[in-house]
Amino acid sequence: MAATHSMKDHDRVIHGEEVYVSDMDGEKVMMSINTGKYYNLGFTGGRIWELAESCPSLGEIVAALTDEYEVDEERCRQQVHTFVAELEREGLLKLLRETV
C-alpha cells in the first residue's frame, strides 16, 4: 500500500479513459475497455466515482463523504486513499498529484 502514502488531500481525481459505467440499482458497475475486466464499485465506491466527475481533490471527496455518511474523518481518508489507489492501479481513475 505504499501508493497511498504518497497521496495528499490536495491531489485531484479524474476518471480514467476507456471505461464504460452503468448504474444498477444504485451501484456502479463498470468495464475497462483496455483490460476487459468488470468491476462493481458498490454504493460508496459508486459515490466516489460520481464525485470524481468534477475532478475534486481527495480532501473534497473525504469532506463530501463525511457529510453524507456517519464515518470518522481519518478513517474515511484512509479508506478513500486506499480505494483511489486501487482504481488508479486498475486504470479506472487517475490521480493528478499537485505540488503545493
Side-chain angles (χ1 to χ4, degrees):
M1 292 292 156
T4 61
H5 296 297
S6 64
M7 291 183 182
K8 304 291 183 209
D9 276 350
H10 57 266
D11 293 341
R12 299 213 162 266
V13 178
I14 61 171
H15 289 166
E17 298 173 8
E18 305 294 327
V19 178
Y20 287 123
V21 182
S22 181
D23 189 357
M24 298 187 71
D25 296 323
E27 294 186 31
K28 295 289 186 236
V29 178
M30 56 184 49
M31 184 185 89
S32 169
I33 300 305
N34 293 330
T35 65
K37 290 183 181 179
Y38 286 90
Y39 304 86
N40 182 339
L41 300 185
F43 293 105
T44 306
R47 181 64 181 127
I48 293 171
W49 182 265
E50 289 171 354
L51 292 167
E53 290 177 13
S54 64
C55 191
S57 68
L58 287 168
E60 290 168 337
I61 291 173
V62 170
L65 294 176
T66 56
D67 283 347
E68 295 173 20
Y69 300 98
E70 291 185 27
V71 62
D72 174 74
E73 183 178 342
E74 188 54 36
R75 181 168 186 209
C76 182
R77 179 175 288 106
Q78 290 171 355
Q79 291 178 345
V80 166
H81 285 210
T82 300
F83 181 77
V84 169
E86 172 116 3
L87 293 188
E88 184 181 34
R89 275 192 298 278
E90 294 293 324
L92 303 173
L93 287 177
K94 294 181 183 180
L95 193 61
L96 302 175
R97 291 174 172 84
E98 297 187 15
T99 57
V100 174

